[in-house]
Amino acid sequence: MKVTIIGSGYVGLVTAVCFADLGHEVICIEKDDNKLNKLKNGIVPIYEPGLDDLLDKNRKENRIKFSNSIEEGVNFSNIIYLCVGTPQGEDGKADLSQVEEASRQIALYMKDYKLIVEKSTVPVNTHQWVKKTIKRYIKNKEIEFDVASNPEFLREGSALYDFMNPDRIVIGVESKKAENLLKELYKYFIDKNYKFLITTPAAAELIKHASNSFLAMKISYINMIAELCEKVGADINEVADGIGSDKRIGRAFLNAGIGYGGSCFPKDVKAFIKIAEEHGIDFGLLKETEKINKQRRLKFIEKIEEVLWISKDKNIAIWGLAFKPNTDDIREAPSIDVVKELYRLKANLFLYDPKAMENFKLLFPEKDNIHYKDDPYSAVEEADALLILTEWDEFININLEKIKAKMRLPIIIDGRNIYDKKKLLELGFEYYCIGR
Ligand code: UDX
């Protein structure tokens, strides 16, 4: 089948390349010229493991192409995916201006039936607005169209795997025609008996926000328990293993630490709270989820002061700037709050991240007491403390004796519980972590 993807960010590009790899013919519309030029030359503007190779393969087999013309995209196929950004607005509501703009532009070029599919994360009932917008701007009012919802459940860093191995594919449709088109598009998965849930657009939009908010709540729950573990001397990882062994709970997303970041959880929790408020419902549980998550960063910064007493003029190494491993994305990353505070306290900061340093430099340029290092070892030269904010494998497998020899003081404050406390103490480190 032919598919048009509007927006080539973390969601749009992965969706486009994976649909192409399934044998569909895809056009991906990107309005940012810099990004578009890179994509046309096979360069992936984001870091997502495996995406560059898969793009290359499908470009070579002519199954994917790129353009900045929505008109070309609308004429290319009768399935048009909205994968544009829905960032957080000032008041916590999702900013849907890109969804509105794309809907308006699609309407202007429609000459025959189109199925417009929301893949971007949008508040429930956005599909009503997309429909209304298309009705308003379409030139020929006789033309039929459908709007559907097909939310994504992709984790950055494992997006290709998540697309090709979905726990479930959810489609929210209002007509048999829309349902049949999407069933054909997802035939590969249906034939392999992946769970294919057909519901209404409103339910599909809600499923996305409800899933992400639940995962965020699960993280804040274990972080709340970690607080108590620290007070009573229990090990949070052992507690998490204990509760996570219950199949109804599950061990995943019970890793205590400095809390969640990224472009999804913080934004989706806020937007969901707002949506409920607009319908006169108080999502207090999610407000607490948010509050606990904010406190994690503050408590981590307090822990630094408890350990170091004074941060001013101390050499502090920071490993991990990305909001999680295997991505270059720093949106809402804990590192932003930690670096901001330590910079304010006039510590000498030595930062390292395998992939996210270029993005981080846009926020914190190299200057006076902010230094970027090319590897984890040089970051800890003469350091008075090492902070770990992202659990990259590179840090987990590091040569700790070598680290200790390079540091001025063997102090590690681990925000992601990546090391075995007993082993670190035996190696002579002062080791501080979360909930243990
Ligand atoms: C999330 C959802 O997992 C995905 O299904 C959705 O489509 C998009 O949002 P993502 O934000 O890419 O994906 O990352 P995820 O792996 O979910 O981690 C989110 C945050 O939670 C990260 O900051 C991570 O460090 C944190 N986290 C995750 C924890 O603190 N503890 C955990 O146990 C798991």
Side-chain angles (χ1 to χ4, degrees), residues 152-156 208 212 215 219 252-255 259-262 264-265 323-324 391 416:
E152 53 84 15
F153 302 104
L154 308 175
R155 291 166 297 169
E156 286 182 39
K208 171 66 185 175
N212 266 12
L215 292 167
I219 293 166
F253 281 64
L254 284 179
N255 300 326
Y260 60 78
C264 297
F265 284 2
F323 82 94
K324 62 179 253 188
E391 65 278 25
R416 292 294 181 187

Side-chain angles (χ1 to χ4, degrees), residues 400-418:
L400 287 165
E401 288 83 353
K402 195 173 164 192
I403 293 297
K404 184 165 179 279
K406 285 177 173 294
M407 294 180 76
R408 190 152 64 179
L409 293 177
I411 295 175
I412 293 181
I413 308 175
D414 182 356
R416 292 294 181 187
N417 283 345
I418 66 172

Side-chain angles (χ1 to χ4, degrees), residues 106-287:
I106 289 166
L108 293 177
Y109 299 116
M110 278 169 66
K111 300 190 193 76
D112 50 15
Y113 173 86
K114 299 294 170 191
L115 169 60
I116 291 92
V117 188
E118 297 166 338
K119 189 162 272 290
S120 310
T121 301
V122 292
V124 60
N125 279 336
T126 298
H127 68 282
Q128 303 286 15
W129 273 110
V130 173
K131 270 200 302 196
K132 201 181 286 183
T133 303
I134 292 175
K135 279 199 182 103
R136 277 177 178 160
Y137 289 90
I138 200 163
K139 287 179 178 150
N140 174 351
K141 304 293 180 194
E142 301 305 307
I143 294 175
E144 281 187 7
F145 67 94
D146 278 304
V147 176
S149 165
N150 173 215
E152 53 84 15
F153 302 104
L154 308 175
R155 291 166 297 169
E156 286 182 39
S158 54
L160 297 184
Y161 176 84
D162 290 345
F163 191 100
M164 299 309 281
N165 304 274
D167 288 340
R168 73 297 202 194
I169 293 165
V170 174
I171 62 166
V173 290
E174 289 179 321
S175 75
K176 218 46 184 152
K177 182 166 189 169
E179 179 182 323
N180 292 335
L181 276 171
L182 290 173
K183 275 180 173 173
E184 197 185 336
L185 183 63
Y186 280 106
K187 189 175 180 317
Y188 169 86
F189 298 98
I190 293 172
D191 290 353
K192 286 179 175 291
N193 296 319
Y194 281 94
K195 191 171 275 190
F196 192 80
L197 301 178
I198 301 166
T199 181
T200 60
E205 289 164 337
L206 263 181
I207 287 168
K208 171 66 185 175
H209 265 141
S211 297
N212 266 12
S213 302
F214 185 87
L215 292 167
M217 187 176 68
K218 205 174 172 185
I219 293 166
S220 282
Y221 178 81
I222 202 67
N223 281 330
M224 175 185 74
I225 305 286
E227 291 286 297
L228 184 58
C229 284
E230 285 191 13
K231 300 289 184 216
V232 301
D235 184 317
I236 187 60
N237 288 340
E238 292 166 5
V239 171
D241 290 345
I243 56 178
S245 302
D246 182 321
K247 280 193 286 299
R248 296 166 303 170
I249 296 173
R251 180 61 178 79
F253 281 64
L254 284 179
N255 300 326
I258 195 170
Y260 60 78
S263 65
C264 297
F265 284 2
K267 157 176 88 77
D268 291 355
V269 169
K270 269 191 185 61
F272 212 21
I273 291 167
K274 269 281 171 207
I275 293 163
E277 261 167 30
E278 283 165 6
H279 293 80
I281 299 164
D282 176 29
F283 272 12
L285 197 53
L286 295 184
K287 289 176 184 169

Side-chain angles (χ1 to χ4, degrees), residues 384-395:
D384 298 307
L386 163 60
L387 313 183
I388 297 169
L389 304 183
T390 313
E391 65 278 25
W392 284 95
D393 285 346
E394 185 178 345
F395 306 152

